Amino acid sequence: TTLGHKASLDANHVEIVQALRQCGATVVDLAKVGKGCPDILVGFRGKTYLMEIKTKTGYVRATQEQFFRSWNGGHIAVVRSFDDAYHVLTMEGL
């Protein structure tokens, strides 16, 4: 655990990871890293993304917000569905 938070997967985690892989993305599961690190590392069409998976009503914890603010290595997004994740991967200008 990190700061008293037990690492657990959101209900949609496996579904989103599987769908990303089916569309050709490379996915590394980082959910057990803790310390505010996003849930997955995604490679797609030569770019790298960090994604925090949340359910429809899930919220970003303070440790996650702190990680997001301090990260200077690329794209970070909170996603709640495969559609959200795919939109991040295909946004123009990234």
Side-chain angles (χ1 to χ4, degrees), residues 25-59:
T26 302
V27 181
V28 176
D29 197 323
L30 302 173
K32 292 184 181 181
V33 172
K35 299 180 184 177
C37 182
D39 290 322
I40 58 176
L41 174 67
V42 182
F44 189 72
R45 298 182 182 163
K47 295 187 179 171
T48 301
Y49 307 83
L50 287 168
M51 295 186 187
E52 175 61 33
I53 298 173
K54 294 293 181 190
T55 61
K56 186 176 182 179
T57 58
Y59 62 94

Side-chain angles (χ1 to χ4, degrees), residues 44-89:
F44 189 72
R45 298 182 182 163
K47 295 187 179 171
T48 301
Y49 307 83
L50 287 168
M51 295 186 187
E52 175 61 33
I53 298 173
K54 294 293 181 190
T55 61
K56 186 176 182 179
T57 58
Y59 62 94
V60 176
R61 295 186 316 279
T63 54
Q64 294 168 328
E65 288 178 3
Q66 182 180 9
F67 184 99
F68 298 169
R69 283 192 305 272
S70 68
W71 186 252
N72 192 19
H75 311 288
I76 296 181
V78 175
V79 298
R80 298 177 186 279
S81 66
F82 167 70
D83 288 341
D84 286 353
Y86 192 74
H87 177 75
V88 169
L89 298 180

Side-chain angles (χ1 to χ4, degrees), residues 7-30:
S8 61
L9 298 181
D10 286 293
N12 53 349
H13 185 102
V14 172
E15 173 187 328
I16 291 172
V17 169
Q18 288 176 344
L20 285 168
R21 287 178 174 152
Q22 287 174 351
C23 79
T26 302
V27 181
V28 176
D29 197 323
L30 302 173

